[in-house]
Amino acid sequence: MGRVRYLEIAEALRAAILSGDYPVGAQLPSESDLAARWSASRGTVRQAVATLASEGLIGSRQGARRIVLRQERRHSFGELNSFAQWAEGVGHEVHSRFLSRTRRPATAEEAERLALAPGTEILAVLRLRLLDGEPTMVERTAYADWVAAAVEAMEPDCRSVMDGLAAGSAIVAHYGEHLIDALAAGSEDARLLGIRRGSPLLRQRHVSATNTGRPIEWSDDRYLAGSVTFSVSNSAVATPLERHAGDR
Amino acid sequence: MGRVRYLEIAEALRAAILSGDYPVGAQLPSESDLAARWSASRGTVRQAVATLASEGLIGSRQGARRIVLRQERRHSFGELNSFAQWAEGVGHEVHSRFLSRTRRPATAEEAERLALAPGTEILAVLRLRLLDGEPTMVERTAYADWVAAAVEAMEPDCRSVMDGLAAGSAIVAHYGEHLIDALAAGSEDARLLGIRRGSPLLRQRHVSATNTGRPIEWSDDRYLAGSVTFSVSNSAVATPLERHAGDR
DNA sequence: CAGTGGTCTAGACCACCAC
DNA sequence: TGGTGGTCTAGACCACTGA
């Protein structure tokens, strides 16, 4: 059993919401109610409902009961950071093809994103990702020098590099930063994905870091338009997503 | 002064991080340190640092001091939900052109998103948005029946509908849900934005709701590729963004 | 006006980290 | 081993909601 009380309570409430016991718009029990029912303190209950609020499942306003906002599962950290973890989580089959793996000095941006000295040698990887057999995403990743050897040692068609790093080297991603925009397919993108040059692509650039904040990889992932959608909930008290101006 | 202690503390820490007093990678003072310095309880300090953690500014691990992850301002709720608020926040001039405003029965999806009975009459608005004078975004919004009259009463080139609703009718958005993907410009998109049909667009569909969870509007915003980027940070303990599979 | 969530306190014990 | 963050308790007062 989960030895952490507030996670137990959060999980039970989450399950009740997802199963429809509390439909969208319904009120949750009051804090004191929940505290009594779980024989926990009010603080612990508040930690539980705060967890659900951060997932966008419930909303709250002073003076009124909490209400259910959505009735959908929220993805985990790994499912946003790893293509393979996400695909399997939503029940798709994923394949990978390493097209090239070369060591070269980092570009200025790569050095910046990976917190490396300019010109440090990184491992540049080009991969084509297939979802249920169809080409879906082109991934260009720069791995920091200190993980390069571990990545090079992996199978040429391994399912998930991040999973491999975690299993083989105990290198685990804890933090991620993601930049999402759209762009036209270049000639290489077009050839690999089997589309015309200039076709719309959804791009997700992201850096993953360890629990000490040390960057592991900086990646540029380009999805076929229509193949994926990103989703985010926000509220007046906490906003996780932002919007940046591009170059004009 | 902000009468809420933990927000005061959070604001001071945030300012210190943004100003570079605590550069990326630096350690923050310990909780007991901060508690003593602010003569607050540890709980209050934890609430403050939790706020910064939810903004992606700092990270924490049991046993070690908190560390600074980023050194960037995080946008507010309004700046993600309102084009005008965002544009002004980043120092751009924004103009709007109402191209059409018509009442018509809601489509199935609109009724679903706005939590209305199928066929309820909504207000459909087509707007072209300009950033610093250049066409940047095409916005197609469906306003719920109960706000339609207030929206119709607005100036034909008003800066921000949501600001107008807040000022005129005390209708304020508290919750938002956003779906982000890419698609090819249709003929209307292309004509309005001055680009070729099939050019890549970044699409942000979103629904805004009041603090009682009542949906106000459901909007389909299409940005010129390269004009905006969305950004999100996540961590192993809290993930605000998710990725969905599209139709295949 | 009673009920509810938002804030705050002053303790406590534990798991984990770095030295 | 001492310091740190993670969890939990049992109170308290206040601001707001809703009948």
Side-chain angles (χ1 to χ4, degrees):
Chain A
M1 318 56 196
R3 274 276 127 321
V4 182
R5 295 289 277 138
Y6 83 88
L7 288 178
E8 273 187 75
I9 302 175
E11 185 149 356
L13 283 175
R14 190 186 297 114
I17 290 172
L18 297 187
S19 75
D21 289 355
Y22 298 106
V24 171
Q27 295 189 335
L28 256 51
S30 73
E31 293 178 358
S32 45
D33 234 27
L34 290 169
R37 206 175 301 180
W38 288 84
S39 43
S41 79
R42 207 183 138 210
T44 301
V45 168
R46 284 181 62 81
Q47 222 173 332
V49 294
T51 303
L52 300 189
S54 82
E55 295 171 5
L57 284 179
I58 64 176
S60 65
R61 349 158 4 217
Q62 194 169 34
R65 293 270 184 94
R66 289 186 173 76
I67 52 172
V68 177
L69 293 176
R70 311 187 316 133
Q71 189 180 345
E72 275 170 51
R73 169 171 172 273
R74 171 109 318 195
H75 292 199
S76 70
F77 172 78
E79 285 171 322
L80 182 57
N81 279 263
S82 159
F83 180 79
Q85 276 186 36
W86 161 73
E88 290 172 4
V90 295
H92 288 286
E93 213 177 309
V94 54
H95 293 287
S96 283
R97 231 175 269 158
F98 276 109
L99 299 176
S100 72
R101 267 198 288 200
T102 52
R103 292 213 188 214
R104 58 165 173 74
T107 66
E109 170 155 48
E110 287 165 350
E112 165 81 20
R113 299 285 185 182
L114 293 174
L116 299 174
T120 306
E121 192 169 71
I122 53 92
L123 177 66
V125 172
L126 173 65
R127 278 206 292 179
L128 177 65
R129 303 290 214 135
L130 301 97
L131 208 57
D132 298 331
E134 289 189 44
T136 298
M137 190 259 275
V138 176
E139 177 184 317
R140 295 178 182 85
T141 308
Y143 292 94
D145 53 347
W146 57 280
V147 291
V151 175
E152 281 175 324
M154 290 183 193
E155 303 280 320
D157 59 350
C158 86
R159 207 184 46 82
S160 165
V161 168
M162 294 313 281
D163 281 4
L165 280 179
S169 318
I171 297 169
V172 181
H174 252 63
Y175 302 110
E177 173 96 29
H178 307 257
L179 301 169
I180 298 166
D181 60 3
L183 82 173
S187 52
E188 189 177 52
D189 301 323
R191 182 168 48 79
L192 294 175
L193 292 172
I195 55 177
R196 279 213 303 280
R197 232 174 65 92
S199 299
L201 297 178
L202 182 65
R203 176 167 68 166
Q204 174 199 18
R205 287 171 295 171
H206 59 108
V207 52
S208 303
T210 66
N211 63 1
T212 62
R214 192 178 194 191
I216 303 171
E217 53 155 16
W218 163 243
S219 187
D220 177 315
D221 301 349
R222 302 180 181 188
Y223 293 88
L224 219 53
S227 63
V228 302
T229 299
F230 291 98
S231 150
V232 63
S233 351
N234 61 348
S235 77
V237 296
T239 300
L241 183 68
E242 60 188 310
R243 175 161 49 186
H244 293 292
D247 316 281
R248 309 270 0 244
Chain B
M1 317 53 185
R3 274 275 124 329
V4 183
R5 296 290 275 139
Y6 83 88
L7 287 179
E8 274 186 76
I9 302 175
E11 185 149 356
L13 283 175
R14 191 187 295 114
I17 290 171
L18 297 187
S19 75
D21 288 357
Y22 298 106
V24 171
Q27 295 187 335
L28 255 52
S30 73
E31 293 179 359
S32 45
D33 234 26
L34 290 170
R37 208 177 300 180
W38 288 84
S39 43
S41 80
R42 207 184 136 207
T44 302
V45 168
R46 283 181 62 82
Q47 223 174 332
V49 294
T51 304
L52 301 190
S54 81
E55 295 170 4
L57 283 180
I58 64 177
S60 65
R61 347 153 12 213
Q62 194 169 33
R65 291 271 184 92
R66 288 185 173 79
I67 52 172
V68 176
L69 293 176
R70 312 186 316 132
Q71 188 179 344
E72 275 170 50
R73 171 171 170 271
R74 172 107 321 193
H75 292 199
S76 70
F77 172 78
E79 285 171 322
L80 182 56
N81 280 263
S82 158
F83 180 78
Q85 276 187 37
W86 162 72
E88 290 172 2
V90 294
H92 288 286
E93 214 177 308
V94 55
H95 292 287
S96 283
R97 233 175 270 158
F98 277 107
L99 299 176
S100 73
R101 268 199 287 199
T102 53
R103 292 212 189 215
R104 58 164 173 76
T107 66
E109 170 154 45
E110 286 165 351
E112 164 80 19
R113 298 284 185 184
L114 293 173
L116 298 174
T120 306
E121 193 169 69
I122 53 91
L123 178 66
V125 172
L126 173 65
R127 280 207 291 179
L128 178 65
R129 304 291 214 133
L130 301 97
L131 207 58
D132 298 330
E134 289 190 46
T136 298
M137 190 260 274
V138 176
E139 178 185 317
R140 296 176 180 87
T141 308
Y143 291 95
D145 52 347
W146 57 280
V147 291
V151 176
E152 280 175 325
M154 290 183 192
E155 304 279 321
D157 60 349
C158 88
R159 208 184 45 81
S160 166
V161 168
M162 293 315 281
D163 282 3
L165 279 178
S169 318
I171 297 169
V172 181
H174 253 62
Y175 302 110
E177 173 97 28
H178 308 256
L179 301 170
I180 298 166
D181 59 3
L183 81 174
S187 52
E188 189 177 53
D189 301 322
R191 182 168 48 78
L192 294 175
L193 292 171
I195 55 177
R196 278 212 303 280
R197 231 174 64 92
S199 299
L201 297 178
L202 182 64
R203 176 167 68 166
Q204 174 197 19
R205 287 171 296 170
H206 59 108
V207 50
S208 304
T210 66
N211 62 1
T212 63
R214 191 177 194 191
I216 303 171
E217 52 155 17
W218 163 242
S219 188
D220 177 315
D221 301 349
R222 301 180 182 187
Y223 293 87
L224 218 54
S227 62
V228 302
T229 298
F230 291 98
S231 151
V232 64
S233 352
N234 61 349
S235 77
V237 295
T239 301
L241 182 68
E242 61 188 311
R243 172 162 51 185
H244 295 291
D247 318 280
R248 310 276 352 248

